[in-house]
């Protein structure tokens, strides 16, 4: 029998196991191939990558505030990256050139009134300013344009019209030409009480049944005067004046008027002012000032002291103070005449304060020389036509004042 040769595939013996060195070399070769493929892939697939694609640098920048006087360094500004550029530093202000100081302005000097020179008019137009002593240095009353003008005391539509000085204080002294400057002879009336019958008109009703009393008390150094109007034994209105008697005559300290309530004015001679209880603005106190009650007695004392000094046609200017205001009143003096009042017949001198403004009252006073120039009649007429007329109703013994 023939003999068959052995085939190489006839036996399936297991192959030999590779060594660990062969496996490690194979793994390294595969890794190198992968690295090579990954590195060349971007170049073969797409455009060139951005130069910043592989840069991942992180930087922290601290921006310090700019110095107020020094400009920021240009190198530091250039080093800052574009994406974190700090705000530009504040531009320093350019200092202003100092201006030349202005010379100090001198305070404006107080205006000095020019001295006034007054001429003496004829005797028939002679004007007299009350109580301006030759050595007092007091200024004469101002002309009408600058003199204080006060509102009417009772005012239009007042509920009561009786009383002296119830009208406005407006109407200052006229031009002071012819004012007599120098000490004046005065004869102030002694203590006395005068009783008056009062008639008049208030609206459409006549004034009836009203009586007035003027009580004047003085001891040579001080005085107290009160004028009361009564109806059926009830006082409906009163005026009260107190003060001193000095070289210039009557010097009031306080004047008040009471109707439904009391209002008063105060003569502050140490301050040269007149103050009012109703908080009205104060006014300067002029030499020889009187109130609306004391002015009647002062005028009588002036005429009694030197009757020849006040001829017919002369004028007396006196600052007259009411409870709410003050003004310079000008009294025109008339010649002697005869008058009949309830108390009898008397020779009198009439003094008139005429209205000078729209709401001024007209004041008329008749002084009897036989009674030491005490008033025997006093009449007040308001702008609306209402009036009150007080006439002496009880006779008095004739006698000189003290």
């Amino acid at each position: 029998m023939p003999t068959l040769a052995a085939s190489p595939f006839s036996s399936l013996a297991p192959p030999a196991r590779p060594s660990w060195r062969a496996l490690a070399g194979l793994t390294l070769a595969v890794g190198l191939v992968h690295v090579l493929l990954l590195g060349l892939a971007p170049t073969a697939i797409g455009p060139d990558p951005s130069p910043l694609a592989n840069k991942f640098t992180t930087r922290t920048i601290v921006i310090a505030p700019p110095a107020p006087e020094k400009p920021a360094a240009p190198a530091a500004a250039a080093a800052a990256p574009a994406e974190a550029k700090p705000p530009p530093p504040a531009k320093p202000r350019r200092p202003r050139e100092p201006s030349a100081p202005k010379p100090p302005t001198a305070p404006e000097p107080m205006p000095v009134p020019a001295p006034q020179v007054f001429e003496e008019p004829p005797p028939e137009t002679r004007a007299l300013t009350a109580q301006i002593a030759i050595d007092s240095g007091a200024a004469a009353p101002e002309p009408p344009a600058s003199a204080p003008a006060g509102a009417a005391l009772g005012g239009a539509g007042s509920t009561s019209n009786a009383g002296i000085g119830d009208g406005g204080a407006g109407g200052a002294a006229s031009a002071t030409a012819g004012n007599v400057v120098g000490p004046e002879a005065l004869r102030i009336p002694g203590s006395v009480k005068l009783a008056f019958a009062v008639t008049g008109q208030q609206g459409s009703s006549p004034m009836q049944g009203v009586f007035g009393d003027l009580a004047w008390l003085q001891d040579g150094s001080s005085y107290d005067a009160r004028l009361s109007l009564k109806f059926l034994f009830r006082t409906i209105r009163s005026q009260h004046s107190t003060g001193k008697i000095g070289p210039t005559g009557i010097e009031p300290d306080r004047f008040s008027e009471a109707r439904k309530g009391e209002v008063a004015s105060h003569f502050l001679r140490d301050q040269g002012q007149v103050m009012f209880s109703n908080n009205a603005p104060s006014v300067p106190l002029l030499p020889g000032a009187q109130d609306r009650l004391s002015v009647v007695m002062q005028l009588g004392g002036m005429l009694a002291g030197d009757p020849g000094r006040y001829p017919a046609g002369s004028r007396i200017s006196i600052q007259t103070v009411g409870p709410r205001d003050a003004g310079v009143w000008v009294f025109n003096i008339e010649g002697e005449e005869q008058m009949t009042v309830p108390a009898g017949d008397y020779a009198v001198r009439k003094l008139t304060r005429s209205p000078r403004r729209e709401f001024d009252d007209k004041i008329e006073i008749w002084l009897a020389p036989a009674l030491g120039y005490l008033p025997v009649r006093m009449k007040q007429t308001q702008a609306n036509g209402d009036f009150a007329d007080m006439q002496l109703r009880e006779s008095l013994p004739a006698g000189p004042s003290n």
Side-chain angles (χ1 to χ4, degrees):
M1 139 185 229
T3 302
L4 298 174
S7 173
F9 301 102
S10 61
S11 180
L12 297 176
R17 179 180 295 177
S19 65
W20 64 271
R21 290 184 180 89
L23 292 175
L26 181 61
T27 301
L28 181 60
V30 172
L32 292 176
V33 171
H34 278 79
V35 170
L36 180 60
L37 292 175
L38 291 175
L40 298 177
T43 305
I45 295 174
D48 293 339
S50 171
L52 298 179
N54 296 328
K55 296 182 180 180
F56 299 95
T57 304
T58 301
R59 181 179 301 174
T60 302
I61 300 175
V62 178
I63 302 175
E69 299 294 336
K70 298 179 179 180
E83 62 273 12
K85 186 177 181 180
K91 188 176 182 180
R93 296 182 178 179
R94 183 177 180 181
R96 296 181 178 179
E97 297 182 1
S99 57
K102 297 181 179 181
T105 305
E108 297 183 359
M110 295 296 293
V112 179
Q116 302 181 9
V117 180
F118 306 117
E119 298 178 358
E120 184 76 7
E124 60 272 9
T125 60
R126 194 179 190 188
L128 305 174
T129 299
Q131 311 310 321
I132 301 182
I134 191 169
D135 58 349
S136 66
E142 298 178 353
S146 58
L153 175 60
S158 172
T159 57
S160 176
N161 295 326
I164 295 300
D166 203 22
S174 59
T176 55
N179 290 342
V180 173
V181 179
E184 299 182 5
L186 293 168
R187 185 173 293 175
I188 304 301
S191 298
V192 66
K193 183 176 181 180
L194 305 176
F196 295 91
V198 183
T199 60
Q201 188 77 21
Q202 182 177 346
S204 59
S205 303
M207 187 180 299
Q208 297 177 344
V210 179
F211 298 92
D213 292 324
L214 174 58
W216 167 259
L217 303 175
Q218 64 105 337
D219 59 7
S221 60
S222 61
Y223 78 92
D224 187 292
R226 185 182 296 273
L227 175 64
S228 302
L229 300 181
K230 300 179 180 180
F231 177 73
L232 297 178
F233 307 103
R234 181 175 64 91
T235 301
I236 59 177
R237 184 177 179 185
S238 66
Q239 292 179 336
H240 188 204
S241 175
T242 58
K244 303 176 182 61
I245 296 178
T248 61
I250 300 174
E251 300 175 356
D253 291 333
R254 183 180 186 273
F255 173 73
S256 64
E257 181 176 282
R259 188 180 298 176
K260 295 181 179 180
E262 185 182 66
V263 286
S265 55
H266 302 269
F267 295 70
L268 307 180
R269 301 186 181 277
D270 56 338
Q271 302 179 19
Q273 296 286 322
V274 178
M275 305 290 291
F276 303 97
S277 64
N278 67 341
N279 294 326
S282 61
V283 299
L285 177 63
L286 302 182
Q290 301 296 318
D291 57 55
R292 295 180 181 178
L293 179 56
S294 68
V295 67
V296 178
M297 311 305 288
Q298 177 78 351
L299 290 170
M302 294 170 63
L303 269 69
D306 189 358
R309 187 183 181 93
Y310 307 97
S314 58
R315 301 186 303 271
I316 299 178
S317 302
I318 301 180
Q319 184 188 30
T320 305
V321 177
R324 301 177 181 87
D325 47 44
V328 178
W329 285 11
V330 180
F331 291 90
N332 297 311
I333 304 176
E334 300 181 12
E336 189 172 293
E337 60 181 271
Q338 294 293 321
M339 171 170 287
T340 300
V341 294
D345 298 333
Y346 293 93
V348 295
R349 296 288 304 275
K350 182 181 179 182
L351 290 79
T352 304
R353 183 246 176 172
S354 300
R356 302 176 66 87
R357 298 179 185 271
E358 182 179 1
F359 296 105
D360 283 354
D361 289 353
K362 181 179 181 180
I363 306 296
E364 300 170 276
I365 305 172
W366 290 264
L367 305 177
L371 300 179
Y373 288 89
L374 289 171
V376 296
R377 184 182 178 187
M378 296 180 287
K379 183 178 180 181
Q380 172 202 338
T381 305
Q382 292 188 341
N384 61 0
D386 293 352
F387 71 94
D389 193 348
M390 304 174 61
Q391 299 184 21
L392 188 68
R393 63 185 178 90
E394 293 181 1
S395 60
L396 295 175
S401 306
N402 64 351

